[in-house]
Amino acid sequence: VILAAYREWGHDALRRFNGMFAFALWDTKRRELFCARDRLGVKPFYYFRDADNFVFASEIKALFAHPTVPRTPNPAAIYDYLALKVVDHTADTFFSGIHHLPAAHYLVVRPADGHVTQRRWWDVVINDDADASDTVRRQQVDELTEVFRDAVRLRLRSDVPVGTCLSGGIDSSAIAITANDLIFREHAIPQDLIGKHQKTFTACFDDPRFDERKFSSLVLEKTGADSYTVFPSAEGLWSDLERLLFHMDEPFSSTSQYSQFCVMRRVSEAGVKVTLDGQGADELFAGYPGYYGALITTLLMRGRARQAAHELRAAGAMGGRGRNTLELAARVAYGLMPFASQLRAIAGRLRPNLTPEARLSAVVRPELDAQYGHRRRELIAGQEARLRDFPRRLHYDVFHGSLPALLRYEDRNSMAFSIEARTPFLDYRLVELAFAMPMSQKIGNGWTKRALRESLEGVLPPEIQWRTDKKGFVTPETIWLRELQPRVRDVLSGTLASADYLDDHGVRTELTRALAATNEGAYYTDVFRWLLLEMWMRSVRAMPAPAVG
């Protein structure tokens, strides 16, 4: 299909594809290599180039089979990881000289002259409107209902068994219930590939603060699906950590990725080869509590104080994780301060959750901070700019912020067990529709994901459709790291393989302080990053020398 489409339409063939892909195609007539990646970057494409070579693969480790590809850590990416707590936000990787082709880009290599051209081949049109008429919003909700259902339908096409990952949240529940209806009412997939019941896969925890079975059980009751569960643990994390890091190729953000790894392993054990998952919905429809601040600030900047006040009252009444931010913003909105002062107050409270300066200076090598500290200032400036532009904040998170990292994790965790993970919410038609909606369709009357929730009326149980206690893919990270204290200390003691980036004495001092703390969740996230970086550096050092010839 790809070859036939390319023969007919050339580079424009990409616009006719719907789905996830990364491929390289040799054009014998033009004598050029055509490389392309899907619109949202669901599938990976890594490359290295120098004066004589262009080397590409779907995993970084595969590039090292070529003798010219260096195995040198990238200090800029490491600084971003330690100080800014971000990964996958640029085309760079943790290895110097190795890049990934950005989402919705293609790349053309002409060996005859060594010329390399990279271009973006798709983007969304952003609707800057704050609101729309009731008629328009209703039409958009109806269209969303149809497009989402068709996106799930398309991703059920298979000649191998298909299952769904189910957390109990809005997104995964919507996929599981819609897929169930398509499977057993429309017969969208041969029955022998499903069995008598759909198979769902869920990570569970004995601690109710992290467990969502009270919600996933509602989906199981509605669908009659078979439930396959896993119970990730601290011991399991420790025993699997090196293997997980091997599959990721680069350090990752938290222990949540281990829960996903466990789920995919359970999928494989059940004989399922394709899963449907809910990645992308939070970024498209503003599902994270932190988006409230960006919406309110944007409305104030545009002189829509009445709408901002309405949203503050509505959201504040719901409480939840965004309450402190909302209370501050409410005081600002109703206060008598000059407008500019209001914005400064909001921006100051909503700065990125970066590592505190004291802790940063104690742990990160001074020379590293001296060389790359400007990246911290640039990130803060960018975040504050996006705080004043809600629609572009969502665009950033889809293409540069949170989503690219989440897609990398899902791809590596699934492919570690030869599972194909499909993402219905990233159907490009649905993405374009989401960005064509006004702000009030993302957060409206205090509700995040307003249009998505309304589009699922009659599909989801009300307890899930109107949930306000968003958990995300959380794990008891602080509890796990406390249990693993002796082993964490052992890895981070002595001379560090990561000593070029982490200060040995500073790490030991801060580690003692962190492990003695009674309730320092954010601190433990830092500890986990130090641990992963050290383990990753050891693995880099242990890499075999490249074969020559």
Side-chain angles (χ1 to χ4, degrees), residues 17 34 40 98 104 142 169 184 205 221 235 291 346 350 373 379 402 478:
F17 298 158
F34 178 61
L40 282 305
I98 296 177
D142 291 343
F184 295 106
F205 301 95
E221 291 173 10
E235 284 298 322
Y291 286 131
I346 294 175
L350 298 175
L379 179 71
S402 54
T478 300

Side-chain angles (χ1 to χ4, degrees), residues 33-47:
L33 185 72
F34 178 61
C35 311
R37 194 174 181 197
D38 66 67
R39 291 173 177 85
L40 282 305
V42 181
K43 281 299 174 182
F45 190 107
Y46 292 98
Y47 68 93

